[in-house]
Amino acid sequence: GSQHQHFCEFFVASSMRAKQRLRLTHLGGLVAVASATFLLSWRTLLQASFAVSSFGGANRIRLAIARQGEAASAATAAEAPPLGEAPVFITEVDPITGELDVSGVPDTMGVYAVFDDNSQLQYIGLSKRMSRSVSDHAESIGPQEAGMLISSVKCLEMPDASKEELKATWQRWIKEHMDDGGEIPAGNLPESAPGSDGRWRLRRNQVKPSLNLAGVGGITSQAEALDAVKGAVTRHPIVLFMKGTPAMPQCGFSARSVGIMGSLGIPFDTVNVMDVEANPGVRDAVKEFSKWPTIPQLFVKGQLVGGADIIAEMQATGQLETTLKEATRATEEESQDGTDRETDAAATRSFTPGEILLVDNPSRPTASLISRTLNDAFQLHSLRIVDQSSDHEGDAGALEMGLTGESHFRVELSAPEFEGLSTLQRQQKVYGVLSEVMPRIHALSLVTQTPAEAS
């Protein structure tokens, strides 16, 4: 069923990410070809094993049909020209408009591969209208880089192919590229993977020019910056205050957030808090306005939704898409008052304490301070503090603050004080407690739970 399908896709995607990391090692170079073949065949094996475990003639019939479909798709992919032999279509930059001309790319259904001006593969995709998709990529990437990143396109026209046949051919091209010693193209990497370029997965009309809050009159004071922030979240139903632009994020958390939102295909506005000409003072003003100490910040219909962690959490549950769609339809805000959390009953329950890992280490002064502050402020059920600074070595924002260590943390805690609070309210509570610590770090990722949720 669909659950089996989702499991297979998750397994293959996870294995591809593991393979990407493995290729960076000496051992990885020795097993790359074998692992690629294994990855692309394992999905079929998993589906077969799930179906065999079911009982009844109907399930056996469905298994036989699935096998026939897989075999037919594989046969079609095997008959298709390999990536190296696919026809090449050259794109050009219009000298008058500066836009990328993709009119030579076939506007039919098929599989396509995009190469930059150094002949490096950037993305492999499948589409009902290849020319339209390449045009979408150019729009998402922006005119300054589109001409360099979309220099040529190899296209295989498959006007009568099924979705399974298209996917099988796409998988074959990916495998062929990796068998030849190439890495997974930047546009096909998972959003969280190093080197991933989420712009390739953005859809048409999602990416708007970043807002210029200064306007013609400019911003000359902090009060005017606050008014500009208030005006932006009032006028625009969905606004993401971020570091950089959707095309060029300037921090990992902003890149992660804009990538998640972009994947939903719902238009939204952005404010680049790093642009001191278009938005002077806005970086501090939005923090003061929201009482939220970090960037990015997402506002929907004038209300703060949260930062990168909450955006990712809402995406995982499907709530983000629902919230954004409702905002675009200008519907009334959902009331939070009707949510029955049974807080009184939950507060009287007893739970087995979790693991409380306090930090008291002179060589880790910031982590120790976070530990002491949280231990004093909450009746901790569990606590875990992870220093992720090594994963962000050389981060421009951290270096700007003069931080070479203890700059990025992930804090997981559960406490009864979170009962009855939304995720946003919980994180605001923690940020308030850590108000004196926040100026000492660049980024803090939070996971907050009640004792019931953690048990």
Side-chain angles (χ1 to χ4, degrees):
S2 61
Q3 292 181 339
H4 298 161
Q5 173 79 9
H6 293 157
F7 178 84
C8 294
E9 294 295 341
F10 174 78
F11 181 89
V12 171
S14 300
S15 301
M16 290 287 280
R17 289 194 291 270
K19 179 177 182 291
Q20 175 75 359
R21 293 192 294 270
L22 183 61
R23 290 177 66 90
L24 300 178
T25 68
H26 177 68
L27 177 61
L30 299 177
V31 301
V33 174
S35 62
T37 304
F38 172 80
L39 290 173
L40 294 175
S41 62
W42 190 249
R43 177 175 178 270
T44 303
L45 295 176
L46 280 174
Q47 287 181 321
S49 66
F50 278 126
V52 167
S53 66
S54 303
F55 296 95
N59 286 329
R60 287 193 292 272
I61 292 173
R62 282 195 293 269
L63 173 60
I65 293 174
R67 283 174 170 169
Q68 292 173 0
E70 292 283 351
S73 299
T76 301
E79 296 172 358
L83 173 62
E85 298 178 7
V88 180
F89 299 87
I90 305 299
T91 63
E92 296 181 355
V93 176
D94 190 305
I96 299 177
T97 65
E99 297 180 353
L100 190 69
D101 182 3
V102 299
S103 58
V105 177
D107 201 22
T108 55
M109 185 163 66
V111 180
Y112 62 97
V114 182
F115 295 81
D116 65 15
D117 54 3
N118 290 319
S119 300
Q120 296 296 312
L121 181 60
Q122 297 294 317
Y123 182 72
I124 298 179
L126 50 90
S127 173
K128 292 182 179 179
R129 297 178 59 188
M130 291 185 286
S131 179
R132 172 67 177 265
S133 293
V134 175
S135 178
D136 287 353
H137 296 319
E139 181 179 333
S140 299
I141 292 170
Q144 292 183 335
E145 293 185 84
M148 296 182 292
L149 293 180
I150 309 177
S151 180
S152 62
V153 185
K154 289 189 174 183
C155 296
L156 176 60
E157 297 183 66
M158 303 175 66
D160 300 319
S162 66
K163 182 178 180 180
E164 289 73 21
E165 290 169 342
L166 286 169
K167 189 170 184 179
T169 303
W170 174 85
Q171 289 175 331
R172 180 190 173 188
W173 279 18
I174 290 280
K175 178 180 179 297
E176 177 189 338
H177 173 67
M178 296 178 68
D179 286 348
D180 289 341
E183 300 291 346
I184 298 176
N188 294 106
L189 281 171
E191 292 172 356
S192 59
S196 172
D197 189 344
R199 294 175 295 176
W200 293 94
R201 294 183 292 274
L202 295 178
R203 303 175 189 174
R204 176 176 289 269
N205 296 328
Q206 284 177 239
V207 182
K208 303 178 182 180
S210 292
L211 298 176
N212 181 342
L213 302 191
V216 178
I219 295 175
T220 60
S221 67
Q222 188 68 6
E224 290 181 356
L226 279 169
D227 288 342
V229 170
K230 182 178 180 180
V233 303
T234 301
R235 291 190 301 271
H236 303 280
I238 305 173
V239 187
L240 179 70
F241 288 79
M242 61 180 291
K243 293 181 180 180
T245 66
M248 297 186 67
Q250 294 184 27
C251 84
F253 294 102
S254 291
R256 176 187 178 198
S257 299
V258 78
I260 289 174
M261 294 180 62
S263 68
L264 300 177
I266 300 172
F268 61 96
D269 289 284
T270 60
V271 176
N272 179 8
V273 301
M274 306 298 285
D275 189 340
V276 296
E277 294 184 2
N279 306 301
V282 169
R283 181 176 180 179
D284 293 327
V286 69
K287 295 178 182 180
E288 181 179 346
F289 177 79
S290 63
K291 303 298 187 280
W292 190 265
T294 59
I295 303 294
Q297 295 185 19
L298 174 62
F299 289 82
V300 176
K301 291 191 288 189
Q303 300 297 314
L304 175 66
V305 171
D309 292 329
I310 293 179
I311 291 172
E313 181 179 323
M314 292 177 67
Q315 164 69 354
T317 63
Q319 184 183 358
L320 181 64
E321 182 174 11
T322 300
T323 300
L324 299 188
K325 283 183 176 179
E326 289 179 351
T328 59
R329 291 195 298 264
T331 56
E332 295 183 357
E333 292 183 356
E334 293 183 9
S335 172
Q336 300 298 323
D337 298 334
T339 302
D340 182 8
R341 298 179 179 270
E342 299 181 349
T343 56
D344 293 337
T348 61
R349 300 174 192 162
S350 60
F351 300 97
T352 303
E355 192 173 23
I356 301 176
L357 303 177
L358 298 177
V359 179
D360 186 10
N361 187 335
S363 66
R364 301 177 61 194
T366 304
S368 299
L369 179 57
I370 293 174
S371 177
R372 290 195 303 272
T373 304
L374 294 177
N375 191 41
D376 291 342
F378 295 99
Q379 300 177 43
L380 292 175
H381 174 81
S382 64
L383 174 66
R384 181 168 179 258
I385 301 173
V386 181
D387 188 341
Q388 298 180 323
S389 304
S390 60
D391 297 335
H392 301 271
E393 187 174 355
D395 181 275
L399 294 176
E400 179 185 342
M401 297 174 64
L403 299 175
T404 57
E406 291 201 299
S407 60
H408 293 71
F409 288 94
R410 176 181 174 87
V411 175
E412 304 168 5
L413 72 158
S414 62
E417 288 87 347
F418 297 140
E419 296 282 3
L421 301 182
S422 67
T423 302
L424 175 64
Q425 291 170 329
R426 296 177 186 184
Q427 295 205 6
Q428 285 179 320
K429 190 176 187 70
V430 175
Y431 282 132
V433 168
L434 296 177
S435 59
E436 295 184 4
V437 183
M438 292 306 298
R440 300 175 57 168
I441 63 179
H442 180 60
L444 176 65
S445 177
L446 283 177
V447 177
T448 56
Q449 293 180 309
T450 64
E453 293 166 346
S455 298

